[in-house]
Amino acid sequence: MKKLYVKLILSFVSFLAANLWIINKGVAKGAAKFFISPTVEETIIFILLQLLVIVIYCIYPLTIKKSKIIYWSVSEAFVAITVFFWGIFIVGPIWFN
């Protein structure tokens, strides 16, 4: 169970980091200087968040099936919340603007 808790905490921290990055850029009203547009930046953040979920799992993978289900459900919920909230709900479908 300790591994599960550590993985969930790391997943939550990456969720917070991604959301804080997007909030910071929203307050600054634009993308970072090295990105083409906010759409590209947000898409990269979403992909990095998903990759972090996978990497966190792959380091000392969980062995108990119940723990695996809990980890993937919670972590993917974090990713889905971020994508739907920032990518669709707040600014509309960012990929179709």
Side-chain angles (χ1 to χ4, degrees):
M1 284 307 259
K2 184 179 177 184
K3 277 200 293 188
L4 174 63
Y5 294 140
V6 170
K7 288 181 181 295
L8 287 175
I9 289 169
L10 290 173
S11 180
F12 183 70
V13 167
S14 62
F15 165 75
L16 282 178
N19 282 291
L20 289 174
W21 178 275
I22 295 171
I23 289 169
N24 185 31
K25 291 302 160 186
V27 169
K29 296 183 180 172
K33 293 181 172 120
F34 46 87
F35 287 118
I36 298 168
S37 70
T39 303
V40 172
E41 182 177 13
E42 286 187 14
T43 304
I44 291 171
I45 296 297
F46 299 152
I47 292 168
L48 287 176
L49 181 59
Q50 181 63 45
L51 288 175
L52 278 171
V53 166
I54 294 168
V55 168
I56 290 169
Y57 178 77
C58 289
I59 298 172
Y60 299 113
L62 299 167
T63 55
I64 301 169
K65 188 174 186 175
K66 183 179 176 182
S67 296
K68 289 179 185 179
I69 292 170
I70 292 170
Y71 173 76
W72 285 111
S73 298
V74 171
S75 296
E76 291 302 324
F78 287 153
V79 173
I81 289 168
T82 302
V83 171
F84 289 124
F85 186 73
W86 292 109
I88 296 172
F89 183 69
I90 293 296
V91 293
I94 63 170
W95 301 280
F96 301 119
N97 289 336

